[in-house]
Amino acid sequence: MANDDANIVVNGIGTVGKRVAHAVKKQDDMDLYGVADVAPTADLRSNLEGPLEGTRLFCSVPDKVEDLEEAGFKVEDDLPSLLDTGKIDLVVDATPPEIDEKNKEVYEEKGVKAIFQGGADASIAPVSFNALANYGEAGDVDWVRVVSCNTTSLTRTLWSLDSNIGVEKAIGNLVRRGGDPPQDSRGPINSIVPVTHIPSHHGPDVQEIMPDLNITTLAVKVPTTLSHLHMINADLSESVSREDVLRIFEKTPRIRLFEAEQGYDSTAKIIERFRDQRLRYDMPEVAVWEETVEVEDNTAYWIHQVHQESIIVPENIDAIRAMLNLADRDESIRKTNDNLGIE
Amino acid sequence: MANDDANIVVNGIGTVGKRVAHAVKKQDDMDLYGVADVAPTADLRSNLEGPLEGTRLFCSVPDKVEDLEEAGFKVEDDLPSLLDTGKIDLVVDATPPEIDEKNKEVYEEKGVKAIFQGGADASIAPVSFNALANYGEAGDVDWVRVVSCNTTSLTRTLWSLDSNIGVEKAIGNLVRRGGDPPQDSRGPINSIVPVTHIPSHHGPDVQEIMPDLNITTLAVKVPTTLSHLHMINADLSESVSREDVLRIFEKTPRIRLFEAEQGYDSTAKIIERFRDQRLRYDMPEVAVWEETVEVEDNTAYWIHQVHQESIIVPENIDAIRAMLNLADRDESIRKTNDNLGIE
Amino acid sequence: MANDDANIVVNGIGTVGKRVAHAVKKQDDMDLYGVADVAPTADLRSNLEGPLEGTRLFCSVPDKVEDLEEAGFKVEDDLPSLLDTGKIDLVVDATPPEIDEKNKEVYEEKGVKAIFQGGADASIAPVSFNALANYGEAGDVDWVRVVSCNTTSLTRTLWSLDSNIGVEKAIGNLVRRGGDPPQDSRGPINSIVPVTHIPSHHGPDVQEIMPDLNITTLAVKVPTTLSHLHMINADLSESVSREDVLRIFEKTPRIRLFEAEQGYDSTAKIIERFRDQRLRYDMPEVAVWEETVEVEDNTAYWIHQVHQESIIVPENIDAIRAMLNLADRDESIRKTNDNLGIE
Amino acid sequence: MANDDANIVVNGIGTVGKRVAHAVKKQDDMDLYGVADVAPTADLRSNLEGPLEGTRLFCSVPDKVEDLEEAGFKVEDDLPSLLDTGKIDLVVDATPPEIDEKNKEVYEEKGVKAIFQGGADASIAPVSFNALANYGEAGDVDWVRVVSCNTTSLTRTLWSLDSNIGVEKAIGNLVRRGGDPPQDSRGPINSIVPVTHIPSHHGPDVQEIMPDLNITTLAVKVPTTLSHLHMINADLSESVSREDVLRIFEKTPRIRLFEAEQGYDSTAKIIERFRDQRLRYDMPEVAVWEETVEVEDNTAYWIHQVHQESIIVPENIDAIRAMLNLADRDESIRKTNDNLGIE
């Protein structure tokens, strides 16, 4: 570990935290000083016995140290004590909503910057973050919130069209997964559950980053664990062709085109590609089906897939660089992508 | 059985046929002369031992009579022979695509009118039918095709807005069920499968009935058996309020509003209402969630549920009346609804 | 309503309560005096606007009357006040576990007998009840617990073999549904969740009724809503043939054989039969697949299906008769079956 | 590539073939000379652009070369021509049932040994293979069939108990996955589908390897893609304790105990561990839940999980060594496990 690299702690080793911790380890301009959690979960065990082997473990709160130790974990210290040492530059907080609010008080007291996740209320941080759209805004603040998976995918695709062509009005129709693969207690098993107010919270959440975008979102939940899927229509400011839109998507980082014709014709089929290629079958890219990109009368249509567990991972890494002024936007995106194997 | 009532035969006692046969039985101006099928399926058995008890059974083709008899069914005759008698005024054909094409040749030879279902190619009949939108067109032809479940729901809702306000452009985002409840061999189990060309066939199918409507549809398939669900946005010709749209939906036959707030907040929850109230939990109405109806800048939004197995049942009954000139549109819709318990 | 019939109230109009209330209405020797609940649920609304139309509604607890009234329900009175009148002979309590414990105190204070459901701890009542196995025991007590759906199916099949042949040892392997159709929040979506202690609670629960039976049960939960399914092996006391077992099952009430060969070859396919024949597609019978009944070396094997929502309905009706001494076992079973359409 | 290593070709790069090819690459005493297929599937593309990058591609049959080339694949030659060169020591055939039968004729003509998979009829090869149970038998034959996933798991666990204690009689109750994750067209979506003859084919398939074992299997199919799960009861020849059984399982290769208490309490939860640790989340081990191992009156009970896609991978590698006399049983198992990261 180079002494002058930024020292990062990830608090909360669940779906997001374990991935971000692993991703921090893969960067060469920051160090994963340690991870923190409160309970001896399977996620914690599988990762400390796997890709996070050798990583220091801290207990998020002082009075849970014993729980972890009794379950066989070696605990270095509690997190507040660690933060007191002045060694830590930034905490990535991936704890559940409401817990993160309480944690923020601790970080504030200790004078350590922190990144929060999209499950938190937007008010937790002055900046809601997407690397492409507003990287620069994170440099001036102590708290940043990386927006949720669905919002990240909408922001990437709509920002690319808006900055290249102009978007007059966008409507996103979201088909969301019921739960992540190991979340056995979540449903539905055989039902479609609509969000019965329009817009769903996703549209306004995009507007936290792109305040001038006219966007409305509708959302439903379905019995699948692998991915979300969005059907989008966007009225564009100029007359463009379908090839223009494809070209813009192609050149935008973290948007990736897939050809259904090659056999990648469902969420499971695209996921299967990454089962063959990446640990956890992570897909931080938004996957757009090439054949679904259409333009008619200035309205662009497309369908994209969102891997809910990993799409926000590179955004967290970029947010770290942005907040600690380690690199500018394009350099950070390039570094993150290279280190995570994103083309 | 009154001698002067129209005599109807339903050919193909599967998902649609068993329901249409049962619905014909409930009308007072037509008689279910018999049903026809080729194989001793569970559907045939369950219905002849249930709501179709006592109905005459014919074998759709002469050379399968024995199969049915060996399985314990009493067969009156084969269908072509029955059609030769001149007793039958109309056949409702609910056989699978391609089989219906072959059957049409028989009906044509025997000089008997027929109704086909939405799985057939539009070219099978000069009129694609929806009771509200083009009842009158069925009176002059020998062949009518009742459009599919998704198309029927789109036509009902969009026709109601178009005829009352005017629809400039509509976009339907369809979340389709993978299979019907007993179709064990159909998936997906854990995947979302998009139609990867835009538009999906549903938009053009609506235009078979409403040729001037500007409509685009996108569609995906999900792991559920109970219902389809559509998220729709429609640009209207006039400035109206959400209450105006609600009022139009409310007064249009076979569109029904449900309040999520009352607990009817998913496809399964609405279906549960009809489990408590109707055989087969059939819901021939399009169910619109009241809370999802919004209007902003002349664009109307809503989410509706389509019960794929039963929504086309009343349309078949109305098509019979239209083709045999038994009643005008409004009288037929009223009669059908009364007899089927549709409010 | 005949004045001298037994007056029954059903408290808790959910999955079980709505069915039992409807079943009480269909009997000719007892009256459904009213139903009770605390919240304006969709179940309550769908049934009071459906098969329970006209039934008196009471509020289970005094301080929730307003909630019901504000939601548009007409409330006669609160339940404790009704019980004070002395008009009620018995309450069928179908409220959730723990609530039923509290309710029992009220029934006890008011001196009214009550039936509880299988979700309650066995200690709630001196008798755990199955009509076939221990009808007589309910005549002497004020509290009876009708055992759960899985236990009821195990008791029916094993009691039939034990009383006719003798069962040395039985092992039940239970594949349970994750949730009922409208329970959108329950999973799993894509996982199998084992009960990780052996035996699961079902074996001991059967022994509440058949204390001398040597039975072990294993159980897992899977992503389906329609039914449970059991794979059973039972060592018999005597050498019998597969035909002997079939004959015993056939003559035992509420066990029904289905032939997979006729197309009834999955849980959904059998359910589809009852969608065509009965409201709510209820199947209070245990469905045994005829082809799965095998005997080898004195061990009998079979697979049966359990409709979790309705199998306990006739048992509740019989428990009412048993507790109020309205009929003996065989007469009660016959009456219940006739009135519910069970062959 | 060392010149004297055995040269292996894998024919059929689907679920099994891609894994076996990848596993061959990881061994140090055999070389993956190439892979073969007939169509430009997503599996083929994802792997040649991923873990099989740089591997020679052959077309399984001469007349499909063009199909592959048009889809952008570089084809070295067709497989029959390759086999003519005499360079290939053994083909692992992972093509679908019936295709493998035809392929065998080619291998026979060319004089090359081959391994087939469990989907093939047992008659395809004189030896049905499991590394633990009958490694030695493969040394004398030209054709070996590695038994299916379910059979492999039953053989491992029952062989371990039978060889250490003795099994008088075993009954396996199998809960099978409906399809693999990318198999979108397979169901069921919401149903449990029993095998309606007893025994299912799994018991007799175990007896291909352990002919003296008294075993009966029952099986059902459920809506999940991740794993099979078995509930087993086995009458043992001697009185042993639960700890004895645990110790035997623990020391047997490729059986692995998991503690539900640590959070590994469902198939998805165990799979999640391997998402964090291994590509494709492969789990070639049989996973036994420690808490489910019980012994009562000489009957042992347990529940285990079978990862259908990968459990047969190490068996294929061992079968290669056995057939080519590259190592004895224990050495081969050790090498395979080491190279695949199996503890």
Side-chain angles (χ1 to χ4, degrees):
Chain A
M1 188 181 298
N3 284 332
D4 50 356
D5 278 354
N7 279 329
I8 310 297
V9 166
V10 178
N11 188 10
I13 300 303
T15 304
V16 170
K18 68 186 184 184
R19 287 177 165 84
V20 172
H22 195 183
V24 169
K25 256 187 89 167
K26 291 181 177 168
Q27 310 304 315
D28 50 16
D29 55 352
M30 57 185 82
D31 288 324
L32 181 66
Y33 191 86
V35 296
D37 211 316
V38 294
T41 64
D43 265 340
L44 190 63
R45 189 178 302 273
S46 302
N47 281 277
L48 288 176
E49 291 175 9
L52 299 181
E53 207 178 340
T55 304
R56 296 181 193 93
L57 172 63
F58 297 85
C59 189
S60 308
V61 293
D63 64 345
K64 297 284 185 183
V65 172
E66 223 167 284
D67 288 7
L68 288 169
E69 288 180 341
E70 272 171 15
F73 290 93
K74 187 181 163 236
V75 180
E76 295 285 327
D77 204 340
D78 62 73
L79 181 60
S81 302
L82 171 63
L83 298 184
D84 274 337
T85 64
K87 288 182 187 164
I88 303 307
D89 297 284
L90 186 148
V91 177
V92 178
D93 188 296
T95 62
E98 290 179 39
I99 307 290
D100 51 16
E101 292 279 359
K102 284 188 210 160
N103 290 344
K104 185 183 169 187
E105 294 171 23
V106 178
Y107 308 148
E108 199 152 20
E109 187 194 317
K110 308 294 181 188
V112 181
K113 296 180 175 192
I115 292 170
F116 300 95
Q117 307 303 318
D121 194 87
S123 65
I124 203 170
V127 172
S128 282
F129 180 85
N130 175 271
L132 285 170
N134 68 343
Y135 185 94
E137 294 177 23
D140 307 320
V141 297
D142 287 340
W143 320 113
V144 159
R145 170 178 164 266
V146 171
V147 292
S148 76
C149 50
N150 283 310
T151 304
T152 296
S153 77
L154 290 167
T155 305
R156 282 192 199 154
T157 49
L158 290 169
W159 176 88
S160 80
L161 295 185
D162 193 44
S163 58
N164 282 283
I165 307 170
V167 172
E168 299 295 314
K169 179 183 179 180
I171 301 175
N173 300 279
L174 282 56
V175 183
R176 294 154 64 208
R177 63 87 180 96
D180 294 329
Q183 293 179 313
D184 295 329
S185 63
R186 293 180 64 159
I189 293 175
N190 187 28
S191 183
I192 307 176
V193 185
V195 173
T196 51
H197 51 90
I198 293 177
S200 66
H201 76 274
H202 309 90
D205 209 30
V206 172
Q207 290 167 330
E208 291 284 333
I209 297 177
M210 300 174 68
D212 298 331
L213 187 72
N214 179 349
I215 178 171
T216 302
T217 49
L218 292 77
V220 301
K221 195 164 63 176
V222 301
T224 188
T225 63
L226 295 179
S227 282
H228 305 297
L229 176 149
H230 298 185
M231 295 178 271
I232 299 179
N233 55 280
D235 295 345
L236 304 179
S237 313
E238 287 175 38
S239 178
V240 297
S241 70
R242 122 174 240 278
E243 284 66 34
D244 293 328
V245 172
L246 283 170
R247 214 169 308 126
I248 290 166
F249 281 166
E250 211 152 14
K251 75 174 190 192
T252 306
R254 297 174 190 162
I255 297 178
R256 185 162 171 172
L257 298 170
F258 284 88
E259 291 181 51
E261 202 204 342
Q262 289 185 349
Y264 303 108
D265 54 8
S266 75
T267 59
K269 297 277 188 67
I270 288 183
I271 287 293
E272 186 72 6
R273 178 179 176 95
F274 295 106
R275 287 186 70 200
D276 285 328
Q277 299 191 348
R278 296 181 188 156
L279 201 63
R280 303 184 184 97
Y281 60 75
D282 278 356
M283 180 173 71
E285 302 96 332
V286 193
V288 177
W289 280 282
E290 191 171 322
E291 290 93 335
T292 67
V293 176
E294 285 295 345
V295 179
E296 209 180 296
D297 297 334
N298 286 12
T299 301
Y301 300 87
W302 73 90
I303 302 182
H304 69 227
Q305 173 177 359
V306 185
H307 184 233
Q308 78 276 3
E309 297 169 298
S310 66
I311 189 172
I312 42 58
V313 171
E315 310 293 330
N316 271 274
I317 300 300
D318 291 332
I320 293 172
R321 286 209 190 82
M323 290 177 74
L324 300 181
N325 297 303
L326 301 181
D328 66 17
R329 187 191 78 155
D330 290 351
E331 191 193 342
S332 180
I333 288 179
R334 191 185 48 68
K335 276 192 153 183
T336 304
N337 287 3
D338 283 356
N339 293 329
L340 297 182
I342 301 170
E343 289 173 28
Chain B
M1 189 183 297
N3 284 331
D4 51 356
D5 277 354
N7 279 330
I8 310 297
V9 166
V10 178
N11 188 11
I13 299 303
T15 304
V16 170
K18 68 186 184 186
R19 286 177 166 85
V20 173
H22 195 182
V24 169
K25 257 187 89 166
K26 289 182 179 168
Q27 309 304 314
D28 50 17
D29 55 352
M30 56 186 82
D31 288 321
L32 181 66
Y33 191 86
V35 296
D37 211 316
V38 293
T41 63
D43 265 341
L44 190 64
R45 189 178 303 274
S46 302
N47 281 277
L48 287 177
E49 292 175 8
L52 299 181
E53 207 177 340
T55 303
R56 297 181 192 93
L57 172 63
F58 297 85
C59 190
S60 308
V61 292
D63 64 347
K64 297 283 185 184
V65 173
E66 223 166 286
D67 288 6
L68 288 170
E69 289 180 341
E70 273 172 15
F73 290 93
K74 188 183 163 235
V75 181
E76 296 285 328
D77 204 341
D78 62 73
L79 181 59
S81 303
L82 171 63
L83 298 185
D84 275 336
T85 64
K87 289 183 188 164
I88 303 306
D89 297 285
L90 187 148
V91 177
V92 178
D93 187 296
T95 62
E98 290 178 40
I99 307 290
D100 49 18
E101 293 278 359
K102 283 188 211 158
N103 291 343
K104 186 183 169 186
E105 294 171 24
V106 178
Y107 307 148
E108 200 153 18
E109 189 194 315
K110 308 293 181 189
V112 181
K113 297 180 175 192
I115 292 170
F116 300 95
Q117 307 303 318
D121 194 87
S123 66
I124 203 170
V127 172
S128 281
F129 181 85
N130 175 271
L132 284 170
N134 68 343
Y135 184 94
E137 295 177 21
D140 307 320
V141 297
D142 287 340
W143 320 115
V144 159
R145 171 179 164 265
V146 170
V147 293
S148 76
C149 50
N150 282 309
T151 305
T152 297
S153 75
L154 289 165
T155 305
R156 282 191 200 154
T157 49
L158 290 168
W159 177 88
S160 79
L161 295 185
D162 194 43
S163 58
N164 282 283
I165 307 171
V167 171
E168 299 295 314
K169 180 183 179 180
I171 301 175
N173 300 278
L174 282 56
V175 182
R176 294 154 64 209
R177 61 90 178 94
D180 294 329
Q183 294 179 312
D184 294 328
S185 63
R186 294 181 65 160
I189 293 175
N190 187 28
S191 184
I192 307 176
V193 185
V195 174
T196 51
H197 50 90
I198 291 177
S200 66
H201 75 273
H202 309 90
D205 210 30
V206 174
Q207 290 166 330
E208 292 284 334
I209 297 177
M210 299 174 69
D212 298 330
L213 187 71
N214 179 350
I215 178 171
T216 302
T217 49
L218 293 76
V220 301
K221 196 163 63 176
V222 302
T224 188
T225 63
L226 295 179
S227 281
H228 305 297
L229 175 149
H230 298 185
M231 296 178 271
I232 299 180
N233 53 279
D235 295 346
L236 304 179
S237 313
E238 287 175 38
S239 177
V240 298
S241 70
R242 117 175 244 279
E243 284 67 34
D244 293 328
V245 172
L246 283 170
R247 215 168 307 126
I248 290 166
F249 281 166
E250 211 152 13
K251 75 174 188 193
T252 305
R254 296 174 192 164
I255 298 179
R256 184 161 171 173
L257 298 171
F258 283 88
E259 291 182 50
E261 202 203 342
Q262 290 184 348
Y264 303 107
D265 54 9
S266 74
T267 59
K269 298 277 188 67
I270 287 183
I271 287 294
E272 186 72 8
R273 178 178 177 95
F274 294 107
R275 287 186 72 200
D276 285 328
Q277 298 191 349
R278 295 182 188 156
L279 201 63
R280 304 184 184 97
Y281 59 76
D282 278 358
M283 180 174 70
E285 302 95 331
V286 193
V288 177
W289 279 283
E290 189 170 324
E291 290 93 335
T292 67
V293 177
E294 284 295 344
V295 179
E296 208 179 298
D297 298 334
N298 285 13
T299 301
Y301 300 86
W302 72 91
I303 302 181
H304 70 227
Q305 173 177 359
V306 185
H307 184 234
Q308 77 275 4
E309 298 169 298
S310 65
I311 189 173
I312 41 58
V313 172
E315 310 294 329
N316 270 275
I317 300 300
D318 290 332
I320 293 172
R321 284 208 192 84
M323 290 177 74
L324 301 180
N325 297 302
L326 302 181
D328 67 18
R329 186 190 79 155
D330 290 350
E331 191 192 342
S332 179
I333 289 179
R334 191 185 47 71
K335 276 193 155 184
T336 304
N337 288 3
D338 283 356
N339 293 329
L340 298 183
I342 300 170
E343 288 173 29
Chain C
M1 188 182 296
N3 285 331
D4 51 355
D5 277 353
N7 279 329
I8 309 297
V9 166
V10 178
N11 188 11
I13 299 303
T15 304
V16 170
K18 68 187 183 184
R19 287 176 165 85
V20 172
H22 195 182
V24 169
K25 257 188 88 166
K26 290 181 178 170
Q27 309 304 314
D28 51 16
D29 55 352
M30 55 185 83
D31 288 322
L32 181 67
Y33 190 87
V35 296
D37 212 315
V38 293
T41 64
D43 266 340
L44 191 64
R45 188 177 304 272
S46 302
N47 281 276
L48 287 178
E49 291 175 9
L52 299 182
E53 208 178 340
T55 304
R56 297 181 192 92
L57 173 63
F58 297 85
C59 189
S60 307
V61 292
D63 63 346
K64 297 281 186 186
V65 173
E66 223 165 286
D67 288 7
L68 288 170
E69 289 180 340
E70 272 171 16
F73 290 93
K74 186 181 163 235
V75 181
E76 296 285 327
D77 203 342
D78 62 73
L79 181 60
S81 302
L82 171 63
L83 299 185
D84 275 337
T85 64
K87 289 183 187 163
I88 303 306
D89 297 284
L90 185 148
V91 177
V92 178
D93 188 295
T95 62
E98 289 177 41
I99 307 291
D100 51 16
E101 292 279 359
K102 283 188 212 161
N103 290 343
K104 186 183 168 186
E105 294 170 24
V106 178
Y107 309 147
E108 199 153 19
E109 189 195 316
K110 308 294 183 190
V112 181
K113 295 180 177 195
I115 293 170
F116 301 95
Q117 307 302 318
D121 194 86
S123 65
I124 203 170
V127 172
S128 282
F129 180 86
N130 174 272
L132 285 170
N134 69 343
Y135 184 94
E137 295 177 22
D140 307 320
V141 296
D142 288 339
W143 320 113
V144 160
R145 170 178 164 264
V146 170
V147 293
S148 75
C149 50
N150 282 309
T151 305
T152 296
S153 76
L154 290 166
T155 305
R156 281 191 200 155
T157 49
L158 290 168
W159 176 88
S160 80
L161 295 185
D162 194 43
S163 58
N164 282 283
I165 309 169
V167 171
E168 298 296 312
K169 180 183 178 178
I171 301 175
N173 299 278
L174 282 55
V175 182
R176 294 154 64 208
R177 63 88 179 95
D180 295 330
Q183 293 179 313
D184 295 328
S185 63
R186 293 180 65 159
I189 293 175
N190 187 28
S191 182
I192 308 176
V193 185
V195 173
T196 51
H197 50 89
I198 293 177
S200 66
H201 75 274
H202 309 90
D205 209 31
V206 173
Q207 291 167 330
E208 292 285 333
I209 297 176
M210 298 173 69
D212 298 331
L213 187 72
N214 179 350
I215 178 170
T216 302
T217 50
L218 292 75
V220 301
K221 196 164 60 177
V222 302
T224 189
T225 63
L226 295 179
S227 282
H228 305 298
L229 176 151
H230 299 184
M231 295 178 271
I232 300 180
N233 54 279
D235 296 345
L236 305 179
S237 313
E238 287 174 39
S239 178
V240 297
S241 70
R242 120 174 241 279
E243 284 66 34
D244 293 328
V245 172
L246 283 170
R247 214 169 307 127
I248 290 166
F249 281 166
E250 211 152 14
K251 75 174 188 193
T252 306
R254 296 175 191 164
I255 298 179
R256 184 160 172 174
L257 297 171
F258 284 88
E259 290 182 52
E261 203 204 341
Q262 289 184 348
Y264 303 108
D265 54 8
S266 75
T267 59
K269 297 277 188 67
I270 288 184
I271 288 294
E272 186 72 7
R273 178 180 177 93
F274 294 106
R275 287 186 71 200
D276 285 326
Q277 299 191 347
R278 296 182 188 155
L279 201 62
R280 305 185 183 95
Y281 60 75
D282 278 358
M283 181 174 69
E285 301 96 332
V286 193
V288 177
W289 279 283
E290 190 170 324
E291 289 94 335
T292 67
V293 176
E294 284 294 344
V295 179
E296 208 179 298
D297 298 335
N298 286 13
T299 301
Y301 300 87
W302 71 91
I303 302 182
H304 70 227
Q305 173 176 358
V306 185
H307 184 233
Q308 78 275 4
E309 298 170 298
S310 66
I311 189 173
I312 42 57
V313 171
E315 310 294 329
N316 271 275
I317 300 300
D318 290 333
I320 293 172
R321 285 209 191 83
M323 289 177 74
L324 299 181
N325 298 302
L326 302 181
D328 67 18
R329 187 191 78 156
D330 290 350
E331 191 193 341
S332 179
I333 288 179
R334 191 186 46 71
K335 276 192 153 185
T336 304
N337 288 3
D338 284 356
N339 293 329
L340 297 183
I342 301 170
E343 290 173 26
Chain D
M1 189 182 298
N3 284 330
D4 51 356
D5 276 354
N7 280 328
I8 310 297
V9 167
V10 177
N11 189 12
I13 299 304
T15 304
V16 170
K18 68 187 184 185
R19 286 176 166 84
V20 172
H22 195 183
V24 169
K25 257 187 87 167
K26 290 181 178 169
Q27 309 304 313
D28 50 17
D29 55 351
M30 57 186 81
D31 288 323
L32 181 66
Y33 190 86
V35 296
D37 212 315
V38 293
T41 64
D43 265 341
L44 190 64
R45 190 178 301 274
S46 302
N47 281 277
L48 287 176
E49 292 175 8
L52 299 181
E53 206 178 340
T55 303
R56 297 180 192 93
L57 172 62
F58 297 86
C59 189
S60 307
V61 292
D63 64 346
K64 298 283 186 183
V65 173
E66 224 165 284
D67 289 6
L68 288 169
E69 288 180 341
E70 272 171 16
F73 290 92
K74 187 181 162 236
V75 181
E76 296 285 327
D77 204 343
D78 62 73
L79 182 60
S81 302
L82 171 63
L83 298 185
D84 275 336
T85 64
K87 288 182 188 165
I88 303 307
D89 297 285
L90 186 148
V91 178
V92 178
D93 188 297
T95 62
E98 291 178 40
I99 307 290
D100 50 17
E101 292 279 0
K102 284 188 212 160
N103 291 343
K104 186 182 169 188
E105 294 170 24
V106 178
Y107 308 147
E108 200 153 20
E109 188 195 316
K110 309 294 182 188
V112 182
K113 295 180 176 192
I115 292 170
F116 301 95
Q117 307 303 318
D121 193 87
S123 66
I124 202 171
V127 172
S128 282
F129 181 84
N130 174 271
L132 284 169
N134 69 343
Y135 184 95
E137 295 178 21
D140 307 320
V141 297
D142 288 340
W143 320 112
V144 160
R145 171 178 163 264
V146 170
V147 293
S148 75
C149 50
N150 282 310
T151 305
T152 297
S153 77
L154 289 166
T155 305
R156 282 191 200 154
T157 49
L158 289 168
W159 176 89
S160 80
L161 295 185
D162 193 44
S163 58
N164 282 283
I165 307 170
V167 171
E168 299 294 314
K169 179 182 179 179
I171 301 175
N173 300 279
L174 281 57
V175 182
R176 295 155 63 208
R177 62 89 180 93
D180 294 330
Q183 293 178 313
D184 294 328
S185 62
R186 293 181 64 160
I189 294 174
N190 187 28
S191 183
I192 307 176
V193 185
V195 173
T196 50
H197 50 89
I198 293 177
S200 67
H201 75 275
H202 309 90
D205 209 31
V206 173
Q207 290 168 329
E208 292 284 333
I209 298 177
M210 299 174 68
D212 298 331
L213 187 72
N214 179 350
I215 178 171
T216 302
T217 49
L218 292 76
V220 301
K221 195 163 62 176
V222 302
T224 188
T225 63
L226 295 178
S227 282
H228 305 298
L229 176 150
H230 298 185
M231 295 178 270
I232 299 179
N233 54 279
D235 295 346
L236 305 179
S237 314
E238 286 175 39
S239 177
V240 297
S241 70
R242 119 174 243 278
E243 284 67 35
D244 293 327
V245 172
L246 282 170
R247 215 169 305 127
I248 290 166
F249 281 167
E250 210 152 15
K251 76 175 188 190
T252 306
R254 298 175 191 162
I255 297 178
R256 184 160 171 173
L257 298 170
F258 284 88
E259 291 181 51
E261 202 204 341
Q262 290 184 349
Y264 303 108
D265 53 8
S266 75
T267 59
K269 298 278 187 67
I270 286 183
I271 288 293
E272 186 72 7
R273 177 178 178 95
F274 295 106
R275 287 186 71 200
D276 286 327
Q277 299 191 349
R278 295 181 188 157
L279 200 64
R280 305 185 182 94
Y281 60 75
D282 278 358
M283 181 174 69
E285 302 96 332
V286 193
V288 177
W289 279 282
E290 191 170 322
E291 290 94 335
T292 67
V293 177
E294 284 296 344
V295 179
E296 209 180 298
D297 296 335
N298 285 12
T299 301
Y301 300 87
W302 72 91
I303 302 182
H304 70 227
Q305 174 178 357
V306 184
H307 184 232
Q308 78 275 4
E309 299 170 297
S310 65
I311 189 172
I312 42 58
V313 172
E315 309 294 328
N316 271 275
I317 301 299
D318 290 334
I320 293 171
R321 286 209 189 83
M323 291 178 73
L324 301 180
N325 297 302
L326 301 181
D328 67 17
R329 186 190 79 156
D330 290 350
E331 191 191 342
S332 180
I333 289 178
R334 192 186 46 71
K335 276 193 154 184
T336 303
N337 287 3
D338 284 357
N339 293 328
L340 298 182
I342 301 170
E343 289 172 27

